[in-house]
Amino acid sequence: MASKIGGGAAYGGSPIPSVAGAENQANSDINVTPMIDVMLVLLIIFMVITPALAGYTAVLPKAVTAAPEKEDRVTLGIDNEGRYYLDEEGKPIPPQQLTQALVAAYQKRPPDDHVLYLKAHDAVEYSVVLTAIESARQAGVARIGAITEIPAEAQKKGK
């Protein structure tokens, strides 16, 4: 009868050391927790770095036959003397006819495309801008966007 100590030596090897009173079972499962931790750290690193890498500049090739695409939007311009211009046309529109001109500009557009881009001179009076907004609302404009110029300091910071 073999004793507990050295009992495995009969098969050509030494027994696996064990703690007194504990079951002697080896765990053969793969521990994936460290791998998941490493993958999560890499995911966070890539999520933080990727937006910073997207800020690149590219020099585009010149095309001989390309024509600039005309923007398909209604733009109302107001010069420094308070005159209204629609879509860069050379002729000013009187304030009394502004609503009719805007209605005509939006006639061929779908109702969800009633957006007016307002391009007013910075020295124009506030009442002139409010007259333009009121005429736009009467013409059925759903949204009004203001076109502004980006200062040189902001352009340098953005690049």
Side-chain angles (χ1 to χ4, degrees):
M1 182 152 165
S3 69
K4 263 207 160 241
I5 300 175
Y11 298 107
S14 26
I16 297 174
S18 64
V19 177
E23 293 281 330
N24 190 7
Q25 292 180 343
N27 185 4
S28 63
D29 294 337
I30 297 173
N31 188 3
V32 294
T33 304
M35 182 182 71
I36 292 173
D37 290 343
V38 170
M39 295 303 288
L40 287 175
V41 168
L42 287 174
L43 177 67
I44 291 170
I45 289 172
F46 285 127
M47 287 173 58
V48 170
I49 290 177
T50 302
L53 296 177
Y56 65 91
T57 57
V59 178
L60 300 176
K62 307 286 187 264
V64 178
T65 59
E69 185 176 327
K70 184 182 183 312
E71 293 183 15
D72 186 29
R73 64 183 188 186
V74 178
T75 305
L76 178 64
I78 305 173
D79 66 2
N80 59 346
E81 295 179 13
R83 294 180 293 214
Y84 301 106
Y85 297 90
L86 196 57
D87 291 330
E88 306 293 328
E89 293 177 0
K91 181 171 104 175
I93 300 170
Q96 303 84 358
Q97 297 175 2
L98 184 58
T99 304
Q100 291 84 10
L102 289 170
V103 168
Y106 288 108
Q107 265 183 339
K108 297 177 183 172
R109 293 179 173 269
D112 62 336
D113 191 23
H114 285 200
V115 179
L116 177 68
Y117 292 91
L118 187 60
K119 187 177 181 180
H121 193 274
D122 64 349
V124 74
E125 291 184 15
Y126 187 62
S127 62
V128 175
V129 175
L130 284 179
T131 301
I133 292 172
E134 181 63 28
S135 295
R137 294 292 182 208
Q138 290 175 359
V141 172
R143 292 178 290 174
I144 298 175
I147 298 176
T148 61
E149 185 175 326
I150 300 173
E153 299 84 29
Q155 286 179 350
K156 290 178 185 176
K157 288 180 185 177
K159 290 184 179 181

